[in-house]
Amino acid sequence: MKKSITRALMTAAFAGATLGLLAGCSVARKQETVGEYIDGSAVTTAVKAQLANDPATSAAAIHVKTIDGGIVQLSGFAKSQAEKNRAGEVARSVKGVTEVRNSLIVKP
């Protein structure tokens, strides 16, 4: 019992120290904080899910990356200009997206 409590405290301390170091390093280099990274990951996941659910877009060929402040970067290939446009519309509709940079290349 005492060993499990000690192990739990050690794990919590290690996790806290690790998060503190990560947050400190990112701020020092003017990168995303841990919270911003998690928010960006949630937006990226939501955009990918919406693209996968949209019959007019091929989510497998579209790469999504969320950067500072909800800016979403779309890259990869679209089968038509209509698909490229639709992917941008879908991304813009996701909560948390402030801007979409649609760099998809139309490749028939």
Side-chain angles (χ1 to χ4, degrees):
M1 175 96 163
K2 189 174 182 180
K3 283 185 178 182
S4 64
I5 292 172
T6 303
R7 181 176 290 166
L9 289 174
M10 295 282 285
T11 302
F14 178 75
T18 301
L19 284 174
L21 287 173
L22 288 173
C25 290
S26 67
V27 171
R29 291 187 273 155
K30 298 190 187 254
Q31 293 178 349
E32 295 174 311
T33 65
V34 173
E36 289 170 337
Y37 176 79
I38 291 170
D39 291 345
S41 295
V43 170
T44 297
T45 301
V47 171
K48 286 181 179 181
Q50 290 291 71
L51 290 170
N53 288 328
D54 191 290
T57 60
S58 175
I62 300 173
H63 304 285
V64 180
K65 180 173 171 82
T66 304
I67 51 180
D68 297 337
I71 299 170
V72 171
Q73 173 74 41
L74 301 178
S75 60
F77 298 97
K79 296 175 189 149
S80 66
Q81 185 64 43
E83 182 182 18
K84 177 179 178 175
N85 295 343
R86 179 65 186 150
E89 291 169 8
V90 169
R92 275 185 211 87
S93 73
V94 173
K95 182 180 178 186
V97 174
T98 58
E99 179 184 334
V100 175
R101 296 183 182 165
N102 192 339
S103 300
L104 292 172
I105 296 169
V106 176
K107 184 177 180 182

